[in-house]
Amino acid sequence: MTIFLSGLTVSNNSSTPSIASFLEFLSADGIVTLVTIMGSIAVAVFTYCFTKRLKIFELYFSKKTTAFEKYIDTALKFSADPNMKIDELLSAFYIACMYCNEDVLKHSQTLITNATKFKDGEISSDIFLYSIGDTIRIFRKDIKYCRKNNF
């Protein structure tokens, strides 16, 4: 006897196990078991991928916030310490820039300019403090967006 399943011909005459013989012996309990096993495997794969993605995001987010904190801290120290070189501020700036978008980059560059001008006495402390506050506001906005979108 020959059975046609979606274009696949299965014959009972062969000595190898066939799909039809498998289906004959498969009961409702066997189908439920197979579906459960396949569902469990799918959930395990999804959970593994999601957890791995979450760990990567947590690492990225941690590095981003640390870079932003270090940049603000270095800008404040640079403006207060007459012996501090601009190299440290630029280093903190470049590290923070690895994690920021264009808007944050623009405000970060303005902070460097204002920190240098403040240190040289070209601008008042009010302008410099406003620049720091503006940069912090932009950093917070970027961090909030990053946290919201897991990016």
Side-chain angles (χ1 to χ4, degrees):
M1 177 171 118
T2 303
I3 300 173
F4 293 94
L5 294 173
S6 301
L8 178 66
T9 305
V10 179
S11 176
N12 284 344
N13 297 335
S14 68
S15 60
T16 60
S18 65
I19 294 173
S21 62
F22 175 72
L23 292 176
E24 286 177 14
F25 294 108
L26 190 61
S27 65
D29 291 337
I31 292 173
V32 169
T33 302
L34 285 176
V35 169
T36 303
I37 290 171
M38 292 170 65
S40 297
I41 291 171
V43 167
V45 169
F46 174 78
T47 303
Y48 173 77
C49 293
F50 183 76
T51 303
K52 189 168 185 103
R53 182 174 175 249
L54 189 59
K55 285 180 183 178
I56 291 170
F57 170 75
E58 287 174 1
L59 178 64
Y60 172 81
F61 189 77
S62 172
K63 287 186 174 279
K64 180 178 192 155
T65 55
T66 301
F68 286 176
E69 289 172 7
K70 183 178 179 187
Y71 177 59
I72 294 294
D73 185 52
T74 306
L76 289 169
K77 287 179 182 175
F78 174 77
S79 66
D81 185 359
N83 298 323
M84 188 173 181
K85 305 277 187 206
I86 196 165
D87 297 349
E88 292 180 51
L89 180 58
L90 289 174
S91 176
F93 167 73
Y94 290 129
I95 291 170
C97 286
M98 290 190 314
Y99 301 102
C100 67
N101 59 33
E102 292 296 321
D103 193 33
V104 174
L105 179 63
K106 183 180 94 174
H107 286 279
S108 298
Q109 289 170 334
T110 303
L111 181 59
I112 284 182
T113 303
N114 287 342
T116 305
K117 286 180 179 179
F118 176 71
K119 190 170 186 172
D120 294 340
E122 296 176 23
I123 62 172
S124 68
S125 62
D126 291 341
I127 294 172
F128 178 63
L129 290 175
Y130 177 79
S131 181
I132 286 180
D134 194 39
T135 304
I136 290 171
R137 181 183 56 79
I138 293 297
F139 282 172
R140 289 180 70 198
K141 182 180 174 184
D142 188 47
I143 288 169
K144 183 178 177 182
Y145 177 81
C146 182
R147 190 179 290 145
K148 179 181 175 186
N149 296 308
N150 286 340
F151 175 78

